[in-house]
Amino acid sequence: MSLDRHRQHDRDRAGDPDNVVSRAQLDAYRVRRRQRLQLLRQGPAETAPRLGAELIQFACRWAPYGRAPDDEVFERFGMAPARFARRLFEALETGECAADVAETLRAIYRPS
């Protein structure tokens, strides 16, 4: 479809009760997509520290519940739980978090 046809289609569906995607959902999707594309444009050296910090924050958020569910790990990071654990351990080696937090996360995510 051309851009004009997409816009017309959007206008036609604006009053459609089956059109359940809100403007806020669409804007949130576009923001996440821009962020993802920006990360893809950056080199691996620039994204690695940020990813490590994200892994640690995510694991800390789920620590009180035992560990993050496998589907949450895959949805958030696009990786299998075993790979998530390996990457988390690598991030913990960099000293990005307190020693007691690192010890707790190592105990929770150690290989079974």
Side-chain angles (χ1 to χ4, degrees):
M1 265 191 211
S2 71
L3 185 57
D4 292 330
R5 287 183 60 195
H6 277 292
R7 287 184 181 144
Q8 182 61 41
H9 179 73
D10 290 346
R11 280 192 294 270
D12 292 343
R13 289 192 45 101
D16 186 358
D18 293 332
N19 186 5
V20 295
V21 177
S22 71
R23 182 57 137 179
Q25 290 172 318
L26 185 58
D27 291 343
Y29 164 77
R30 287 176 176 158
V31 166
R32 285 192 311 272
R33 183 165 186 256
R34 266 187 240 115
Q35 290 170 343
R36 218 173 24 250
L37 290 173
Q38 184 179 9
L39 284 175
L40 288 173
R41 285 187 211 111
Q42 296 173 348
E46 295 173 12
T47 59
R50 204 172 350 179
L51 177 62
E54 271 189 68
L55 293 171
I56 292 169
Q57 288 174 348
F58 182 80
C60 284
R61 235 177 283 131
W62 282 98
Y65 307 103
R67 67 185 321 164
D70 296 348
D71 58 335
E72 286 288 326
V73 170
F74 184 78
E75 185 178 317
R76 172 87 171 155
F77 299 103
M79 58 179 79
R83 183 170 179 221
F84 171 80
R86 280 194 308 274
R87 298 291 297 267
L88 176 63
F89 276 60
E90 290 171 10
L92 293 172
E93 295 297 319
T94 63
E96 289 189 43
C97 65
D100 60 330
V101 173
E103 185 178 324
T104 302
L105 292 178
R106 282 189 188 100
I108 292 172
Y109 286 94
R110 72 173 172 264
S112 340

